[in-house]
Amino acid sequence: FDVSEQPPATAAAADDARLIETWAGRSASAGTRRKYRAIGARFLAYLGRPLATATLADLQAFIATMETKAPATRANAAAALKSLFSFGQETGALVVNVGKALKSPPVKNTLAERILAEADVMTMIALERDPRNRAFLTLLYGAGLRISEGIGLRWRDLAPREAVGQVTVYGKGGKTRIVLVSANTWKLLRALQDVPEPDAFVFQAQPTGRGLSPSQAHRIVKRAAARAGLSAEVSAHWLRHAHASHALERGSPIHLVQATLGHADISTTGRYLHARPSESSARFLGV
């Protein structure tokens, strides 16, 4: 039946559900869409009434229900709600943006704890005997790719560039970037298939021929870290962090690292300079 024929409360609930779906649907990332839908639905269930009636106190109380969660989880939820209410006001669905006054919980910057030493990365790669897995680890680190970018690569995305190669990466937010890879990385990639089919996945899940799933890709990284005697917390994203940090330490211009990693804002890339500073005033003291 038509929404206009529903009782006011039911019609408002339908409008709110549509608003949340439209808001979440704007993201090019399937993971972000799922996350936004979940947070939106959870807040709507907690509120128990139309979004238009929500107050700042309601948002604060909702975040407070998550006090047993990690600070980053609470901060992400707060950021999502701020985005939802901002979108609601921009589209005219909500008159007031109560999320504007919501303060995100402070989050400790733990980036420095998630940057592997160069020797540890090299050990992870050296101890990997499977050619596919070794090429995958090398590419994640050497090109600074996100795990979704790595497993989504098809052979048509790779092209030779004299002694090296280039990779066309479909990244976060639906943005495409071109990343050059070293001669060694290119050799490992080309060795995976002599005459590759253009639409075939570079990193295939044998024997299906389909691309690696996120869980399979994460297991490759976890097992490589375990063989190298590293923390169980090591993930694929740690290799991306390592790429940025090690490139900057070796003198790469920050704007080049920004372009390679696909950061929209150079301040995001700048975090790696602060996480692993090369100088400190403490070194000038006599203690």
Side-chain angles (χ1 to χ4, degrees), residues 101-121:
L102 181 65
K103 300 295 184 184
S104 296
V107 179
K108 178 186 176 184
N109 187 349
T110 60
L111 179 58
E113 301 170 13
R114 290 174 280 127
I115 297 177
L116 295 165
E118 192 167 344
D120 289 336
V121 176

Side-chain angles (χ1 to χ4, degrees), residues 100-200:
K100 190 174 183 179
L102 181 65
K103 300 295 184 184
S104 296
V107 179
K108 178 186 176 184
N109 187 349
T110 60
L111 179 58
E113 301 170 13
R114 290 174 280 127
I115 297 177
L116 295 165
E118 192 167 344
D120 289 336
V121 176
M122 294 299 105
T123 301
M124 285 178 63
I125 294 172
L127 294 179
E128 178 58 72
R129 296 306 178 194
D130 184 279
R132 179 201 65 184
N133 296 350
R134 187 172 191 179
F136 183 64
L137 293 171
T138 303
L139 185 65
L140 288 182
Y141 171 65
L145 301 190
R146 300 177 178 91
I147 196 166
S148 59
E149 297 169 346
I151 63 179
L153 285 177
R154 297 176 187 267
W155 283 106
R156 67 169 59 256
D157 300 322
L158 276 60
R161 284 281 298 272
E162 298 178 356
V164 299
Q166 71 175 37
V167 180
T168 300
V169 182
Y170 184 68
K172 189 175 181 180
K175 296 178 181 178
T176 300
R177 67 186 189 278
I178 307 296
V179 178
L180 295 180
V181 297
S182 69
N184 177 63
T185 302
W186 182 246
K187 181 180 178 181
L188 291 174
L189 290 171
R190 293 298 303 172
L192 295 181
Q193 198 167 356
D194 291 334
V195 186
E197 291 292 329
D199 288 320

